[in-house]
C-alpha cells in the first residue's frame, strides 16, 4: 500500500503499530514528488537523499515517543532553515543559506519532525507569484503567498506544511487547493527567523488534510519565545487537548457575509448557503450577523497598517535592491510612505474597535462562519487571487480555519471558513471539526 495518502495522525498511528517506518513513509512521499512535482512545482528546494538521511536519523529509539516523530514537513521559503537555501521568492536571496533555523523549525525538529523541503512562496510573501500551479488544474493559481505549502499538502507530497498569513496567505490557498488551513491567533507561533512583512499582522499558520491534523500540528508549534514579543505580550492561546476532542453538542454559529459578499462568485455564495443549511439540519443554531457601519473602512484600514509597517520591514532591502523588486511591491512601499504616523496610530485604534465589536458577537455565538475565498481558484498564474475574505480576521488577530467542502462548476475546490474568538483557538478548531464531520466532504488527493 502506498503510504503518501496517510495524514499526520494516521502515519503516527502506523508507526506506533509497526505498520510503517519513517523510511517507508519518506520513500513513498518522495516517489509521489518525483511523479507530480514537474507539473505542480510546489518546491523551491527539495533533496530526496537528504530527506532520507533525516528519516534514517529518526528511525526508532527515544524519538519515537515525540509528537511529530517522523513527520515530513514542507516549510515556506521565507522561514530560515540552517544549511538549506531560503530564497524568499526573490532573486535577491538566490544564494542565501541561513546558518540558524527559525524558532518554528527548531521546534518541529525537536519534536521529531523533519524538514522535507522548502515550499514556493510569492516574492517576499506578497503578490508577485512564484512558479507553483494548482494541483487540481495547473492552468489555475494555487493561491498565495503560501502557494507551495498548500499545493504540497493537496498533492500528497507531505502530510502537513507551514505557511504564513499577513492578509490571506494561509486560508485562501487552502481553499483553492482543497486542504485545511489554520491561521492561529496572532502571536501563537513565533516569527523569529521568519521574514517580517507587517509585524502586527504576520502570523505563522499550518496546512493539513484534516482539522484534527491541523490542530495537532499547530499545537506542537506553539510556545513562548522572548525574541518574538507577540508570543509574550499577546500570549499564546491555551491549546490543545490532543488529539482534538469532539464538540459536545451542536454549535451556535454567527453567519457573517461582510460587505464584500458580492465579490464572491455565484457558485461560492450558493455553496456557502447550502453548507449553512446542512449545518442547521444537523442541529447548529445559526443566526446571520450584519457588520455595522463601523466596518465600512476596515479593509482600507488593514491595508494602511500593512503598507506602513512594510516600509520599515523592507527598508534595508529596498535601499540596496529597489530596482530588483516587483512593481507591485514597490507600489505598496510607496503607498506606505504616504501613511503618516498619526494615520497609522488611528488605524491601530480602529483595529481595536473592530476586535472589541467582534468579541461581543462571541457572547452569543461560538464561532463565525464565512467564506474563505472568492470561489474556485482563478484561471491565471499571473495573480494568486484576492484576500478580501481573509483580511479582516487577520487584522483583528482572530483564529481562522478553512475546510474543503465541495467543488465548483470547473471541478476545483470550494471551501468554508470558521473564525473563532481571539485567543480561543481550541474551541474554533472544535467547531471547525464539527462542521467538517457534518458536511462530510473528502476531496481526496490532487493529481490522481
Amino acid at each position: 500500500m502506498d503510504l503518501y495518502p496517510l495524514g499526520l495522525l494516521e502515519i503516527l498511528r502506523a508507526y506506533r503499530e509497526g505498520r510503517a517506518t519513517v523510511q517507508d513513509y519518506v520513500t513513498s512521499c518522495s516517489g509521489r514528488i518525483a511523479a507530480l512535482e514537474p507539473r505542480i512545482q510546489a518546491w523551491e528546494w527539495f533533496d530526496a537523499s537528504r530527506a532520507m538521511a533525516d528519516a534514517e536519523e529518526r528511525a526508532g529509539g527515544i524519538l519515537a515517543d515525540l509528537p511529530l516523530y517522523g513527520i515530513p514537513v514542507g516549510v515556506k521559503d521565507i522561514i530560515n532553515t540552517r544549511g538549506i537555501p531560503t530564497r524568499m521568492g526573490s532573486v535577491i536571496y538566490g544564494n542565501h543559506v541561513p546558518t540558524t533555523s527559525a524558532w518554528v523549525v527548531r521546534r518541529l525538529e525537536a519534536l521529531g519532525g523533519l524538514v522535507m523541503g522548502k515550499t514556493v512562496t510569492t516574492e517576499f510573501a506578497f503578490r508577485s507569484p512564484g512558479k507553483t500551479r494548482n494541483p487540481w488544474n495547473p492552468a489555475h493559481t494555487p493561491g498565495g503567498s503560501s502557494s507551495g505549502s498548500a499545493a504540497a499538502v493537496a498533492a500528497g507530497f507531505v502530510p502537513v506544511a507551514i505557511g504564513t498569513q499577513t492578509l490571506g496567505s494561509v486560508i485562501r490557498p487552502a481553499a483553492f487547493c482543497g486542504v485545511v488551513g489554520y491561521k492561529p491567533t496572532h502571536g501563537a507561533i513565533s516569527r523569529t527567523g521568519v521574514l517580517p512583512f507587517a509585524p502586527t499582522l504576520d502570523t505563522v499558520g499550518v496546512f493539513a488534510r484534516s482539522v484534527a491534523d491541523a490542530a495537532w500540528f499547530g499545537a506542537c508549534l506553539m510556545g513562548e519565545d522572548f525574541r518574538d514579543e507577540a508570543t509574550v505580550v499577546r500570549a499564546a492561546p491555551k491549546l490543545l487537548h490532543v488529539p482534538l476532542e469532539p464538540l459536545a453538542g451542536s454549535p451556535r454559529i454567527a453567519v457573517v457575509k461582510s460587505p464584500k459578499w458580492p465579490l464572491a462568485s455565484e457558485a461560492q455564495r450558493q455553496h456557502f448557503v447550502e453548507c449553512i443549511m446542512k449545518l442547521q439540519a444537523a442541529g447548529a443554531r445559526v443566526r446571520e450577523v450584519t457588520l455595522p457601519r463601523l466596518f465600512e473602512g476596515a479593509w482600507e484600514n488593514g491595508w494602511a497598517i500593512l503598507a506602513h509597517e512594510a516600509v520599515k520591514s523592507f527598508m534595508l532591502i529596498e535601499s540596496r535592491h529597489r530596482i530588483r523588486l516587483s512593481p507591485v511591491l514597490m507600489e505598496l512601499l510607496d503607498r506606505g510612505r504616504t501613511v503618516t504616523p498619526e494615520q497609522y496610530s488611528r488605524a491601530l485604534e480602529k483595529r481595536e474597535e473592530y476586535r472589541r465589536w467582534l468579541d461581543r458577537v462571541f457572547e452569543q455565538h461560538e464561532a463565525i462562519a464565512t467564506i474563505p475565498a472568492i470561489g474556485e481558484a482563478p484561471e491565471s498564474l499571473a495573480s494568486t487571487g484576492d484576500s478580501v475574505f481573509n483580511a479582516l480576521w487577520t487584522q483583528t488577530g482572530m483564529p481562522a480555519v478553512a475546510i474543503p467542502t465541495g467543488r465548483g462548476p470547473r471541478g476545483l475546490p470550494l471551501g468554508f471558513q470558521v473564525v473563532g474568538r481571539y485567543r480561543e483557538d481550541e474551541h474554533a478548531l472544535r467547531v471547525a471539526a464539527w462542521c467538517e464531520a457534518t458536511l462530510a466532504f473528502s476531496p481526496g488527493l490532487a493529481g490522481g
Side-chain angles (χ1 to χ4, degrees):
M1 181 186 76
D2 282 322
L3 295 174
Y4 66 81
L6 299 182
L8 185 156
L9 293 174
E10 290 175 305
I11 193 62
L12 286 177
R13 192 177 306 113
Y15 291 158
R16 288 195 301 268
E17 295 172 357
R19 293 182 286 110
T21 67
V22 180
Q23 296 97 315
D24 293 336
Y25 190 53
V26 169
T27 297
S28 183
C29 291
S30 295
R32 180 73 169 176
I33 292 168
L36 296 183
E37 173 63 7
R39 181 165 66 91
I40 297 172
Q41 301 181 59
W43 298 105
E44 178 62 33
W45 180 92
F46 171 72
D47 184 335
S49 61
R50 177 167 178 149
M52 182 52 65
D54 285 349
E56 290 171 352
E57 284 184 5
R58 285 158 177 76
I62 59 173
L63 289 178
D65 293 327
L66 295 174
L68 292 178
Y69 168 69
I71 299 299
V73 179
V75 178
K76 185 176 181 177
D77 200 35
I78 63 164
I79 301 173
N80 285 341
T81 41
R82 181 174 63 88
I84 297 175
T86 302
R87 298 178 177 131
M88 316 289 185
S90 170
V91 294
I92 296 169
Y93 281 83
N95 298 316
H96 177 57
V97 180
T99 57
T100 304
S101 289
W103 188 96
V104 69
V105 173
R106 297 197 304 273
R107 177 81 163 189
L108 78 87
E109 291 179 329
L111 294 181
L114 59 96
V115 176
M116 189 71 163
K118 301 302 290 295
T119 54
V120 170
T121 176
T122 60
E123 178 209 30
F124 295 119
F126 194 52
R127 288 186 158 183
S128 185
K131 62 183 179 179
T132 305
R133 298 164 179 266
N134 193 299
W136 295 99
N137 185 327
H140 293 247
T141 179
S145 61
S146 305
S147 312
S149 290
V153 172
F157 294 170
V158 284
V160 289
I162 303 174
T164 62
Q165 180 158 308
T166 305
L167 287 174
S169 296
V170 169
I171 299 300
R172 185 174 77 259
F176 284 169
C177 291
V179 296
V180 172
Y182 166 39
K183 183 207 79 70
T185 290
H186 180 261
I189 301 175
S190 169
R191 287 91 43 89
T192 298
V194 180
L195 174 77
F197 198 106
T200 72
L201 300 172
D202 295 340
T203 309
V204 175
V206 302
F207 298 88
R209 291 195 287 273
S210 71
V211 175
D213 282 2
W216 181 291
F217 188 45
C220 288
L221 301 183
M222 292 179 183
E224 192 170 80
D225 171 17
F226 284 92
R227 288 162 297 179
D228 182 352
E229 64 177 12
T231 69
V232 181
V233 176
R234 299 287 185 187
K238 184 180 179 182
L239 205 84
L240 271 172
H241 300 299
V242 179
L244 193 67
E245 292 185 350
L247 190 70
S250 53
R252 292 169 288 117
I253 296 175
V255 173
V256 175
K257 294 179 177 178
S258 93
K260 306 300 182 180
W261 176 258
L263 298 178
S265 69
E266 182 179 351
Q268 175 68 78
R269 295 197 303 266
Q270 181 60 35
H271 176 71
F272 179 75
V273 171
E274 291 171 357
C275 286
I276 292 299
M277 291 174 64
K278 290 179 182 178
L279 299 180
Q280 282 184 297
R285 289 152 288 171
V286 174
R287 184 169 72 93
E288 186 163 345
V289 173
T290 301
L291 298 180
R293 292 185 62 184
L294 168 68
F295 288 87
E296 287 180 358
W299 284 259
E300 292 75 14
N301 196 76
W303 273 100
I305 294 171
L306 180 141
H308 182 85
E309 294 183 2
V311 171
K312 182 177 180 180
S313 295
F314 284 89
M315 186 176 298
L316 184 60
I317 294 173
E318 186 182 15
S319 68
R320 295 178 177 178
H321 305 286
R322 180 175 170 89
I323 196 171
R324 304 176 80 182
L325 301 178
S326 67
V328 290
L329 182 53
M330 288 191 293
E331 181 182 356
L332 177 78
L333 297 175
D334 290 341
R335 175 180 177 179
R337 279 184 282 272
T338 70
V339 180
T340 67
E342 293 76 19
Q343 290 171 329
Y344 174 66
S345 179
R346 178 57 182 153
L348 296 181
E349 292 172 3
K350 292 289 290 184
R351 177 169 65 187
E352 291 303 315
E353 291 179 33
Y354 304 149
R355 183 182 290 158
R356 285 194 296 269
W357 192 93
L358 290 166
D359 195 60
R360 291 196 293 271
V361 172
F362 291 94
E363 294 173 2
Q364 299 179 11
H365 304 88
E366 296 173 79
I368 290 171
T370 187
I371 58 178
I374 57 173
E376 292 175 285
E379 187 176 7
S380 170
L381 299 176
S383 167
T384 60
D386 197 329
S387 61
V388 69
F389 293 106
N390 320 119
L392 176 61
W393 319 117
T394 311
Q395 182 182 170
T396 51
M398 298 160 69
V401 186
I403 57 175
T405 49
R407 296 190 189 282
R410 294 188 171 189
L412 293 167
L414 292 174
F416 187 87
Q417 182 173 198
V418 174
V419 178
R421 195 174 199 168
Y422 180 62
R423 293 189 60 202
E424 293 191 4
D425 292 48
E426 179 175 357
H427 200 72
L429 286 160
R430 292 175 69 197
V431 173
W434 186 89
C435 293
E436 177 186 54
T438 301
L439 297 172
F441 174 77
S442 177
L445 291 178

